[in-house]
Amino acid sequence: MANLTAMLLARNKARPESRDQGVNGARLVFYASACCHYSVRKAAGILGIGRDQLHEIAVDDRGRMLPDLLRQAIESDVAAGQQPFLVLATAGTTVRGAYDPLGPIADVCEEFGLWFHIDGAMGGSAAMSKTHRNLLEGSERSDSFAWDAHKLFGVPLSCSSILVREKGALFQSLSEQASYLFQNENDEYDLGQISLQCGRRNDALKLWAAWQHHGDVGFGGKVDRIFALTRYAESIIREDPEFDLACPVESITVCFTVRGHDSEELCESLRRSARAVVGFSIVGGQKVIRLAVVNAAMNEDDIDTFFNELRAACADAAKLPDSASSQTR
């Protein structure tokens, strides 16, 4: 909903009449990296902008959006009579954990007068770490920023937020009149006037309570611990000749393969045997095991246990005939 809200704000800024009259005129187009979250396309469909109007920008070998290609795409669309209105960067992509180059992307947005949104649902928590907050350099220039406290800080689902640069932007795009509601003298912070929902749970209370307990230092320590555990997992993969990294480790996810084994089948075997739950994805055209380290309460022994269970699943798979192995899917 945070990404959806940001896209709504960007649409209304580009077409102020659209909230009342709908979207007319030149086709609205927007941009995100080829590794953006699936919610981006979903939001485009919900808002009536159209999923096909998402123009995905290629990424480098680390999974980061290429600003030069972004500029070229915008210039091409303008020349074709379309209206760019939004660039959506990602801070911590879902699979690789990559951070788009926020500063250079902000330059492009300022050059063309486009709304600059950052999907920092996963990677935004790096702001709490003195060691890793440099990954978010340039984020202060964004118009809106999405962040999930439930991703890395252990706050129960759901606890998502959207931050906006311009005070009043949410009210301007989301407020409605209702004589039976909004009867306070000052409804500036009434969530029914500044969000997609009206009645809702007090999700902010969970974050407030956790923040009171851990503080900035405690939250920052969680981020540092998660990054350190991710690097530990990476070191195990590098040291084991049967494992291969599928791409550089950018933040808190490690994508790798096991030689001679299908990644999807291994993940399913781990799940079926109740050894571990881990997902697979696609990187560079191949299926990979995607280990996401998001729990700061874990330690190195937990990482060791996962890889030991993975090796055991590999050993079990090696004992099966090829036909039986394929049926485990």
Side-chain angles (χ1 to χ4, degrees):
M1 285 195 294
N3 285 336
L4 172 66
T5 301
M7 194 176 298
L8 172 67
L9 299 181
R11 185 205 67 182
N12 289 351
K13 182 176 182 180
R15 298 279 183 84
E17 75 285 356
S18 63
R19 188 180 182 199
D20 295 322
Q21 302 173 14
V23 180
N24 298 304
R27 179 170 293 171
L28 291 173
V29 295
F30 68 107
Y31 311 87
S33 89
C35 298
C36 68
H37 193 260
Y38 78 91
S39 63
V40 176
R41 281 174 51 83
K42 186 174 184 177
I46 292 172
L47 287 172
I49 293 168
R51 298 186 301 167
D52 290 346
Q53 309 324 313
L54 167 58
H55 293 186
E56 294 186 350
I57 307 301
V59 299
D60 61 17
D61 60 354
R62 294 170 57 183
R64 305 174 304 171
M65 185 194 300
L66 293 165
D68 289 342
L69 295 185
L70 170 64
R71 179 180 284 102
Q72 292 174 18
I74 295 171
E75 291 173 343
S76 176
D77 290 336
V78 170
Q82 298 178 333
Q83 183 181 353
F85 76 102
L86 164 70
V87 175
L88 190 149
T90 308
T93 56
T94 305
V95 177
R96 300 190 191 189
Y99 285 72
D100 288 336
L102 304 180
I105 293 174
D107 291 340
V108 175
C109 290
E110 290 179 2
E111 178 181 347
F112 292 94
L114 306 183
W115 187 281
F116 180 27
H117 174 64
I118 298 175
D119 177 4
M122 183 170 72
S125 295
M128 302 301 297
S129 166
K130 293 181 179 180
T131 303
H132 300 290
R133 64 179 51 159
N134 62 295
L135 293 167
L136 293 166
E137 288 181 2
S139 62
E140 70 280 359
R141 299 168 63 187
S142 64
D143 296 290
S144 54
F145 193 105
W147 173 55
D148 288 355
H150 58 251
K151 287 281 197 302
L152 302 189
F153 291 158
V155 179
L157 280 165
S158 63
C159 192
S160 301
S161 63
I162 179 169
L163 309 175
V164 294
R165 169 187 293 278
E166 181 181 346
K167 186 175 182 178
L170 290 167
F171 187 88
Q172 184 176 357
S173 282
L174 294 165
S175 64
E176 292 290 350
Q177 295 299 315
S179 61
Y180 47 85
L181 289 175
F182 315 128
Q183 297 173 355
N184 297 324
E185 292 183 3
N186 186 349
D187 56 7
E188 179 182 4
Y189 298 108
D190 190 316
L191 294 177
Q193 294 281 50
I194 59 174
S195 75
L196 297 173
Q197 298 168 276
C198 186
R200 59 182 291 178
R201 297 178 62 177
N202 186 6
D203 294 324
L205 178 61
K206 297 178 289 189
L207 175 58
W208 179 86
W211 213 326
Q212 292 297 307
H213 177 73
H214 296 288
D216 292 359
V217 174
F219 274 165
K222 285 179 177 290
V223 174
D224 292 341
R225 181 61 177 154
I226 287 170
F227 271 75
L229 286 171
T230 306
R231 293 298 176 183
Y232 180 72
E234 178 188 13
S235 70
I236 292 175
I237 294 168
R238 290 189 180 278
E239 293 170 3
D240 192 319
E242 297 302 312
F243 297 155
D244 291 307
L245 278 175
C247 57
V249 176
E250 295 294 317
S251 56
I252 63 170
T253 59
V254 187
C255 297
F256 67 100
T257 58
V258 182
R259 295 184 182 182
H261 294 273
D262 180 272
S263 297
E264 181 180 0
E265 290 183 357
L266 283 178
C267 291
E268 179 65 7
S269 174
L270 288 169
R271 185 190 67 82
R272 285 181 177 274
S273 61
R275 288 181 168 127
V277 177
V278 65
F280 73 94
S281 189
I282 306 295
V283 173
Q286 67 173 342
K287 286 187 289 188
V288 302
I289 297 172
R290 172 184 168 266
L291 175 64
V293 183
V294 297
N295 184 0
M298 294 196 307
N299 55 39
E300 286 78 3
D301 288 342
D302 296 312
I303 301 294
D304 289 337
T305 297
F306 166 74
F307 282 105
N308 288 336
E309 296 291 358
L310 176 60
R311 293 185 181 100
C314 292
D316 290 346
K319 299 175 184 177
L320 296 174
D322 291 342
S323 59
S325 177
S326 64
Q327 293 174 5
T328 63
R329 300 174 62 183

